[in-house]
Amino acid sequence: MRKITNEELGRPSAGEFARMEKMPVAVVLDNVRSMQNVGAFFRTADAFAVERIALCGITATPPNREIHKTALGAELTVAWDYFAATTDCIAALRAQGYLIYVVEQVEGAVMLDEFRPRPGQKYALVFGNEVDGVAQEVVDAADGAIEIPQAGTKHSVNVSVAGGVVLWNFFWQVRPKR
């Protein structure tokens, strides 16, 4: 085996990425504390061609050196908005036709491996604070919940890892055509 060079990967330019079809998913970060987690979400959103990220509450926004360390420039290619209140963000996304799903351990959550996105439907996926998770008022405003099946003793993963797992699951099911 030979490693593929960056030139051989066929990566789109920033301009091409801006014009290409995106996965019909918006990521909502509900009071995420760590700027490294925010940066990791930008990088993952770029990798899976997410439509946009909504940064809410105490979640840091670009430009920021700490976000850039993990985003590696993806904060410049992925569209983003800021909302002081996550509930305001959810209301705005719902008005644009998104179904709102929190990624959280709640009663009635659908396990990720059993969740099937509907073709043509837009989804907003809400990820919560590293300690407290998604705020209850946000859970109350959601259309549903998705839980990541886990087998270990902790029953939790880092929020940016959760983002990678959930976004990959959506990507393989509804990936945009290239």
Side-chain angles (χ1 to χ4, degrees):
M1 282 188 284
R2 177 185 67 83
K3 286 179 61 174
I4 299 171
T5 66
N6 283 341
E7 293 75 27
E8 293 172 306
L9 288 175
R11 294 178 179 163
S13 68
E16 291 167 333
F17 183 80
R19 291 185 300 276
M20 68 186 257
E21 182 183 359
K22 304 291 189 298
M23 186 168 60
V25 171
V27 167
V28 178
L29 301 185
D30 177 32
N31 291 298
V32 171
R33 299 179 310 174
S34 165
M35 289 182 255
Q36 287 81 15
N37 284 335
V38 174
F41 265 102
F42 271 102
R43 194 163 168 194
T44 302
D46 179 276
F48 296 131
V50 166
E51 281 183 352
R52 67 175 121 168
I53 295 179
L55 308 168
C56 302
I58 67 166
T59 306
T61 62
N64 184 294
R65 193 170 66 97
E66 291 301 309
I67 291 172
H68 181 74
K69 277 198 312 196
T70 47
L72 296 178
E75 75 278 23
L76 304 173
T77 58
V78 176
W80 63 272
D81 297 299
Y82 174 78
F83 292 83
T86 307
T87 52
D88 292 343
C89 172
I90 287 172
L93 289 169
R94 182 170 280 120
Q96 294 170 38
Y98 287 84
L99 284 179
I100 313 301
Y101 276 80
V102 296
V103 179
E104 187 60 88
Q105 296 165 328
V106 299
E107 294 172 343
V110 176
M111 289 297 167
L112 179 61
D113 58 326
E114 298 172 1
F115 186 84
R116 297 292 173 261
R118 294 189 302 221
Q121 177 62 57
K122 298 190 295 187
Y123 291 89
L125 303 173
V126 184
F127 297 87
N129 178 275
E130 293 87 341
V131 174
D132 299 322
V134 177
Q136 185 63 53
E137 66 182 355
V138 176
V139 171
D140 294 341
D143 297 305
I146 298 170
E147 182 177 341
I148 300 170
Q150 299 171 54
T153 61
K154 299 300 176 197
H155 290 284
S156 71
V157 294
N158 175 278
V159 67
S160 68
V161 172
V165 170
V166 173
L167 290 171
W168 162 248
N169 187 278
F170 269 75
F171 185 74
W172 77 263
Q173 293 184 72
V174 299
R175 76 175 69 188
K177 296 170 185 62
R178 287 192 74 188

